[in-house]
Every structure is written in structure tokens, then in C-alpha cells.
Amino acid sequence: MMKRIAICAGSFDPPTDGHINIIQRSLGIFDKVIVAVAVNMSKQPIFSPEDRAAMLKGIFQGNEHVEVDVFEGLLMDYARKRGVFTLLRGIRTMGDYEYESQMALANKTLEPKLETIYMFTEGKYAHLSSSIIKEIIAFGGEGKGMIHPIVERKLKEKLRT
Ligand code: PNS
């Protein structure tokens, strides 16, 4: 049987419970998800690609349906390299919609075989973002219900020392 595989690419700087929720729920649809950490993105990350990938590997340890990888350059080239043309993204708000529609269209223009599949974020994560969580941890808050303990430890190390 042909395996249904999707690529879930992102910055993951750091991964949040919102990301984890989308990836876990998507496994009801896909046999395997490749979580691809981007080296090239518009934002300046605080974690190296290796650190971001290590956090994701820790979170999904023991889950054979999740593979964590790092990619450099265009997502389209990575998709071609892997032979996987289904992209998975989570969508939270109307604000995301605009950016997501541009990205999906850009990717489809570059590689017509690419399809981007969107899943709506669960309500409790709708206002969660990697930037908000960085601010919360930097100013002394706790990450419960928003980030995995592995991520919380790493963020505290990075932002409070
Ligand atoms: O988690 P993010 O920051 O919303 O993810 C954005 C990401 C990494 C998926 C996007 O920036 C990306 O695909 N970067 C690789 C470069 C690329 O292919 N850009 C053209 C597609 S818009």
C-alpha cells in the first residue's frame, strides 16, 4: 500500500504545544509526517536548526510516524528531494490566512505538484505563537499548557542565563 506522507515545515523557534497538536492530529490522516526545520526563514531565530530539531526529536521520541529533519534553501527543493508533495500547515487566525495563502500559492507556482493542506488549530492554542512564548519565558512566566517541558527547559537556559 502506498504510504500517505506529509511534510510539516516550519521555523519551530521553538516548537509549541500548538505545533505538537497539529502534528499529532495529522497522524489520523497521514501515515507519516516529516517535521522539517527550516534553516532559511524571514525571522531571525534564537535557536540553531540543530537545537530546534533536537527539541522536536525529544518531543516525538518513540513515535515511528514522525521523522524530524532539517532543510536548507527552498521548501520546494526539499519536497522534490524527498519525493513528497503534500505540505501540512496549521492555521490559527485570519492573520495567518493571508500569509498562508501567499506561501501556498508561491510554492504551487514554483512546483505545481505541491499541495498545501491546512488544519485549524484547536481553540486553546489559537493565540499561541513561538514569539509570544519567548516573551513569556524571558520575563519570568511559566510555559505550562503552551510548551513541552523539554522546550521550557531549553528556553529558560537560553533566555534567563
Ligand atoms: O513556522 P513558519 O515560520 O511559519 O514557517 C515558514 C517556512 C519555514 C515554512 C517558510 O519560511 C519556508 O518555506 N522557508 C523556506 C524558504 C522557502 O521555500 N520560501 C518560499 C516559500 S514561501
Side-chain angles (χ1 to χ4, degrees):
M1 195 192 81
M2 211 171 97
K3 267 196 166 182
R4 292 161 303 182
I5 308 177
I7 295 175
C8 182
S11 306
F12 303 108
D13 188 53
T16 68
D17 284 355
H19 293 124
I20 299 171
N21 179 260
I22 293 283
I23 294 161
Q24 277 169 344
R25 283 165 52 216
S26 78
L27 290 174
I29 302 167
F30 298 104
D31 300 309
K32 180 180 159 184
V33 173
I34 301 170
V35 181
V37 174
V39 172
N40 303 91
M41 51 209 229
S42 36
K43 311 156 211 166
Q44 189 59 47
I46 63 165
F47 289 108
S48 68
E50 293 71 28
D51 278 351
R52 287 178 268 144
M55 284 186 265
L56 286 160
K57 280 183 183 156
I59 293 167
F60 291 106
Q61 195 173 27
N63 189 337
E64 63 193 29
H65 302 285
V66 178
E67 177 190 333
V68 178
D69 197 8
V70 171
F71 77 102
E72 205 166 349
L74 290 176
L75 180 53
M76 162 208 68
D77 287 321
Y78 179 72
R80 280 182 182 160
K81 191 181 99 183
R82 297 299 308 254
V84 174
F85 295 94
T86 307
L87 304 178
L88 168 73
R89 297 280 294 173
I91 199 158
R92 292 165 300 191
T93 56
M94 282 303 285
D96 280 351
Y97 176 88
E98 209 164 327
Y99 171 56
E100 292 299 331
S101 57
Q102 282 177 8
M103 218 159 45
L105 193 59
N107 280 321
K108 191 138 193 81
T109 307
L110 291 166
E111 170 52 84
K113 275 166 84 177
L114 278 174
E115 294 294 352
T116 310
I117 305 295
Y118 288 95
M119 285 181 71
F120 279 104
T121 300
E122 265 180 44
K124 59 183 177 224
Y125 304 118
H127 298 282
L128 182 56
S129 70
S130 298
S131 12
I132 280 181
I133 199 68
K134 282 182 268 198
E135 192 162 310
I136 292 170
I137 300 298
F139 296 120
E142 295 301 312
K144 202 169 180 301
M146 295 185 275
I147 43 174
H148 191 281
I150 292 177
V151 176
E152 182 156 359
R153 198 177 331 118
K154 276 277 192 188
L155 262 182
K156 284 181 176 169
E157 258 172 48
K158 178 71 89 184
L159 298 172
R160 292 192 191 167
T161 48

